[in-house]
Amino acid sequence: MPGASRPVGGPGLAQVRRVVSEIPGPRSRELLARQRGLVPAGVGAVLPVFVEAAGGGVIVDADGNSFIDFGSGIAVTTVGNSAPAVAERAAAQLRRFTHTCFLVSPYESYLDVCEKLNELAPIPGEKRTILVNSGAEAVENAVKIARAATGRPGIVVFDHGFHGRTLLTMSLTAKNKPYKQGFGPFAPEVHRAPMAYPYRWPGSPERCAEEAASALADLLDRQVGADNVAAVLIEPIQGEGGFIVPAPGFLGRVAEICRSRGILLIVDEIQAGIARTGRMFACEHEGIRPDLITTAKGLAGGLPLGAVTGRAELMDAVPAGGLGGTFSGSPVACEAALGVFDEIEAGDLLERAREIGDTMLEFLGGLSDRHPVIGDVRGRGAMIAVELVEQDGDRVPAPDLAARIAKRCHADGLLVLTAGSYGNVLRFLPPLSISDALLEEGLTVLGEAIAKETACAG
Ligand SMILES: *Cc1c(COP(=O)(O)O)cnc(C)c1O
């Protein structure tokens, strides 16, 4: 399509929900047919409408539909799509230079991003940061650094965890289908401990943190041998696993268990970090002090950028040439990340995330009183989910219901995502730039979708 009259996104876009066709509409269906002839089937789409513009709290498609955005491109456009500071800084950088390779001839914006992350990360002492291209690459590098610094091979991860789609990171990921099926053999030296998942803990939820901590200690001491373990890797709130907030105190117990055994603690903040939960890093809610932190998704407002931030003596354990990559820390992505930090500060977005969380939790709490299929409401800040279960079952997961409700929301102009090891979680990740009016309208659409789908199911 020639460029002349293409729409402009960002906060100037009309902030309305508008459904003018069936979903997907005729133009999107045409493009979808074209996609099938060009892109492998393994690349799926949650809501297959082709986007023309996005900003504030909406996404506009090729048929002129305007969706309320409760997905933020999977927690990426946290400060808003085409947020002004991000778009302006990235555009200005595109005109200066697009690439030199930081390993060939460096540039200052890379340092500015590292300085910011070092300053903000809740890691004790002197810190260093390396920039990479994606979340998976951040996790890969955190593991390389942890192994080099400790001289140990083992990595311990948790049930329901998600860490990426590369060979190592899919090996670290818990769920088989669709992430691992057919892709083995997997990377060795990966061990999995139970997650302190209060809603599904067998036995009393009050004992969840303590019992899960004992299981971790037992795995380390008896099965693997603590001396063989470089790091324990955990999400502060599990994202793909279904926004599982670990039982209170569990992250603190994990940190203690690691410290007493000389094992490093890597916190994967790729989905929950960068203002999403009302703190810059989600692990701050539990007051823990990790050795290494990975970030990506929300870090550069949609441009590909990931990072590992960690204690200086660990990060410096790898000799020159051992870390890096051709595109890593692209100057355009670095400028975008600096724009993200500007937006968070200028817009008081940590507070905004907390407000959005309060609004969602209050609404969904009320909804769960009326709908027994809502088994659990959980999350922090603008990262909230509901777990759906069979009406009369004993917490039996209801993945089909989750899929039907999501589909109905999409047809009614609300973009929601599903998640969870059992596929029965609806997750809500609105951009922090969404208005109160759109947020409330989105929740109303969701409530109606749940009411209709549970009535039909009866
Ligand atoms: C998305 C995600 C990753 C992988 O990030 P990619 O950029 O998709 O490689 C890793 N860890 C967590 C917690 C994530 O949510």
Side-chain angles (χ1 to χ4, degrees):
M1 237 193 303
S5 66
R6 305 197 68 173
V8 173
L13 206 54
Q15 296 296 300
V16 291
R17 177 172 64 102
R18 181 179 65 227
V19 179
V20 296
S21 73
E22 44 178 335
I23 305 298
R27 177 73 186 133
S28 282
R29 285 203 306 274
E30 233 175 82
L31 291 168
L32 202 58
R34 189 170 161 222
Q35 175 175 335
R36 285 197 194 98
L38 297 169
V39 181
V43 180
V46 173
L47 170 55
V49 299
F50 283 75
V51 178
E52 289 277 302
V58 299
I59 294 179
V60 176
D61 78 5
D63 292 287
N65 299 296
S66 179
F67 297 86
I68 299 176
D69 182 10
F70 274 15
S72 298
I74 319 188
V76 169
T77 52
T78 301
V79 300
N81 231 309
S82 293
V86 173
E88 277 155 31
R89 273 180 175 268
Q93 177 58 40
L94 280 167
R95 289 188 289 269
R96 283 193 297 272
F97 63 92
T98 47
H99 174 80
T100 60
C101 187
F102 193 75
L103 305 178
V104 175
S105 37
Y107 35 87
E108 192 168 4
S109 55
Y110 186 117
L111 307 185
D112 294 334
V113 176
C114 296
E115 183 171 64
K116 205 80 203 169
L117 286 169
N118 291 346
E119 198 179 288
L120 294 168
I123 294 172
E126 207 182 326
K127 287 164 262 183
R128 303 275 186 268
T129 290
I130 177 182
L131 301 181
V132 294
N133 298 298
S134 69
E137 207 187 338
V139 174
E140 293 263 355
N141 277 279
V143 169
K144 281 169 66 173
I145 292 162
R147 284 177 172 165
T150 59
R152 301 170 174 184
I155 304 294
V156 171
V157 289
F158 292 85
D159 198 7
H160 311 289
F162 179 88
H163 299 289
R165 295 170 179 275
T166 58
L167 176 57
L168 175 59
T169 59
M170 101 180 138
S171 304
L172 298 167
T173 291
K175 189 175 176 176
N176 179 45
K177 267 189 188 155
Y179 304 127
K180 303 168 83 165
Q181 179 62 38
F183 300 147
F186 302 108
E189 294 297 343
V190 173
H191 310 277
R192 198 172 307 282
M195 179 62 181
Y197 181 176
Y199 183 66
R200 294 199 175 275
W201 193 253
S204 151
E206 285 74 52
R207 299 199 39 79
C208 174
E210 209 39 55
E211 288 173 6
S214 303
L216 172 65
D218 184 72
L219 174 77
L220 292 170
D221 296 336
R222 200 175 55 76
Q223 296 185 42
V224 189
D227 290 354
N228 300 316
V229 178
V232 168
L233 167 63
I234 191 165
E235 294 161 84
I237 298 176
Q238 289 183 317
E240 302 305 304
F243 289 13
I244 300 165
V245 183
F250 180 66
L251 291 177
R253 292 285 290 116
V254 171
E256 264 171 51
I257 287 168
C258 288
R259 198 174 311 115
S260 63
R261 289 162 177 79
I263 295 170
L264 302 178
L265 176 60
I266 308 172
V267 172
D268 182 347
E269 292 266 3
I270 289 167
Q271 189 152 160
I274 316 295
R276 176 52 57 187
T277 66
R279 306 292 289 265
M280 193 57 83
F281 297 91
C283 70
E284 293 172 47
H285 292 282
E286 289 279 318
I288 60 164
R289 315 270 281 163
D291 298 293
L292 299 164
I293 289 179
T294 54
T295 48
K297 290 193 166 84
L299 180 56
L303 277 89
L305 191 69
V308 184
T309 303
R311 284 167 44 211
E313 66 269 31
L314 306 173
M315 299 292 289
D316 285 335
V318 181
L323 302 174
T326 309
F327 292 119
S328 298
S330 136
V332 183
C334 284
E335 288 292 337
L338 295 172
V340 166
F341 290 119
D342 290 348
E343 291 278 349
I344 292 171
E345 280 158 37
D348 201 5
L349 293 186
L350 297 178
E351 177 56 27
R352 181 62 187 148
R354 292 190 282 268
E355 281 171 11
I356 289 172
D358 290 345
T359 301
M360 290 200 287
L361 285 174
E362 193 189 322
F363 182 90
L364 296 168
L367 214 55
S368 80
D369 293 340
R370 294 199 297 283
H371 295 290
V373 296
I374 299 180
D376 197 21
V377 179
R378 59 183 180 241
R380 283 185 156 127
M383 183 175 186
I384 303 290
V386 295
E387 177 160 356
L388 299 170
V389 292
E390 298 293 340
Q391 194 106 13
D392 305 314
D394 186 14
R395 305 192 171 187
V396 176
D400 296 343
L401 178 63
R404 285 204 311 276
I405 293 168
K407 196 154 186 219
R408 190 180 280 267
C409 287
H410 298 165
D412 290 341
L414 171 68
L415 171 48
V416 297
L417 306 173
T418 57
S421 291
Y422 312 99
N424 65 328
V425 173
L426 293 169
R427 60 173 153 169
F428 314 117
L429 294 158
L432 305 181
S433 53
I434 196 169
S435 67
D436 285 331
L438 274 187
L439 177 65
E440 278 157 27
E441 188 175 339
L443 290 169
T444 304
V445 171
L446 171 72
E448 287 166 4
I450 293 176
K452 284 180 198 153
E453 287 302 333
T454 48
C456 299

